[in-house]
Amino acid sequence: MKTPSPLHFKTYSSILLIVIFGPLGNLLLGKGMKGRGDIAAWTPAELARFVTFVLRSEIIWLGIGSLMVFFVAYTLVLSWADYSYVQPASAFAYATAALLGHFVLGEMVSAVQWAGIMVICLGVFIVGRTPPRTTERT
Amino acid sequence: MLTELVFFLLVTIAGTAGELCMARAMRGVGEVTNFRPQALIGVVWRALSVVWTWVGLGLMTLAFFALLAVLAVENVSFVVPVTALSYAVGALGGRVFLHERVTPTRWAGVLLVCVGVTLVLLGKRWG
């Protein structure tokens, strides 16, 4: 069996972080904001209450932490891999989001969504078969 | 109608252009090989000193607000397939702006991703 090169290994590891922590961060933020309700009035007092709610929510902090991991991984991988490789490969995050929604939140995933997930997986598989880097780097 | 078209162009083109600028900035920073926290902070710091980073962040912010504006007047089921086009724009931008070699195989994968993302998001809307 062919061993993946260091370039492939760190590219796949970063994309794995992107497709896990991006949707996880969004899910945690969504879960944290659920039940808060709309901002009733755009007054300073109401905004202050909103900010206090956000800052005191552990789940929102976890969400922010996840999105920071996502952003750092996305930025770092672009330092060595092609954008035209990373961007479509990261679309696998849509599949992660649907799977998290289905298995963690018990949301219904429609047949059209499952079909979309399969097509994304196929697209990512095809992109993954091309070299991650096609240009010279510093 | 013209205003909406401008917003659609901003969402797709400015959003992708912003990410392309970030990619360009990271090329200037150089390949990251040390993943210790201190070294990573140094990388982020160096990235923030590159003009392309700020251009990228500005364009992504613009795209975000354009998306909010277009969602205020159009249905999500119409907006989403258009935003999935950003994958095709991204591959084109990678080729033209970053001189990446986008082979027919990669194009095929990108187009499948466009279709898949559209199906997932429309399926959510219809489900």
Side-chain angles (χ1 to χ4, degrees):
Chain A
M1 197 176 137
K2 210 171 123 186
T3 315
S5 69
L7 178 72
H8 279 92
F9 179 74
K10 68 179 184 178
T11 306
Y12 293 159
S13 306
S14 302
I15 289 173
L16 188 66
L17 289 177
I18 290 168
V19 302
I20 291 174
F21 283 96
L24 183 65
N26 288 331
L27 182 130
L28 290 168
L29 285 187
K31 214 171 164 67
M33 293 305 290
K34 237 176 204 171
R36 169 60 181 78
D38 289 341
I39 298 177
W42 293 92
T43 58
E46 181 67 18
L47 288 176
R49 264 196 293 277
F50 177 77
V51 172
T52 311
F53 170 82
V54 167
L55 294 179
R56 282 191 179 161
S57 167
E58 287 170 10
I59 205 156
I60 289 179
W61 277 111
L62 279 174
I64 292 170
S66 291
L67 288 178
M68 280 176 75
V69 173
F70 158 81
F71 187 72
V72 169
Y74 198 86
T75 309
L76 291 182
V77 74
L78 289 176
S79 79
W80 67 77
D82 285 358
Y83 176 72
S84 60
Y85 180 94
V86 175
Q87 190 209 25
S90 308
F92 192 74
Y94 285 99
T96 319
L99 293 172
L100 278 174
H102 184 65
F103 291 109
V104 179
L105 298 179
E107 290 175 354
M108 208 195 81
V109 178
S110 67
V112 178
Q113 277 176 285
W114 286 122
I117 290 169
M118 301 298 275
V119 176
I120 290 174
C121 290
L122 184 62
V124 171
F125 175 75
I126 290 174
V127 170
R129 291 184 64 83
T130 63
R133 178 163 68 193
T134 60
T135 55
E136 288 299 315
R137 300 294 158 104
T138 50
Chain B
M1 185 66 195
L2 185 67
T3 317
E4 284 171 37
L5 184 69
V6 170
F7 281 134
F8 271 124
L9 287 175
L10 281 176
V11 171
T12 314
I13 296 175
T16 314
E19 289 191 358
L20 284 163
C21 289
M22 289 297 290
R24 181 110 177 205
M26 289 313 291
R27 276 191 188 185
V29 168
E31 182 175 349
V32 178
T33 49
N34 185 347
F35 293 92
R36 280 191 226 151
Q38 210 174 358
L40 293 182
I41 291 169
V43 169
V44 172
W45 189 250
R46 281 204 304 281
L48 289 174
S49 66
V50 178
V51 177
W52 285 113
T53 302
W54 294 102
V55 177
L57 289 174
L59 284 168
M60 285 192 279
T61 308
L62 185 67
F64 175 71
F65 284 108
L67 178 66
L68 292 185
V70 88
L71 283 173
V73 288
E74 282 293 350
N75 290 330
V76 176
S77 55
F78 178 61
V79 175
V80 162
V82 179
T83 56
L85 277 177
S86 62
Y87 291 95
V89 176
L92 190 67
R95 187 186 161 91
V96 175
F97 185 60
L98 300 171
H99 309 295
E100 293 170 359
R101 197 160 52 85
V102 185
T103 58
T105 309
R106 189 175 283 183
W107 268 118
V110 167
L111 294 178
L112 278 172
V113 166
C114 285
V115 174
V117 168
T118 307
L119 285 175
V120 167
L121 295 167
L122 286 182
K124 198 170 185 173
R125 190 71 184 159
W126 294 336

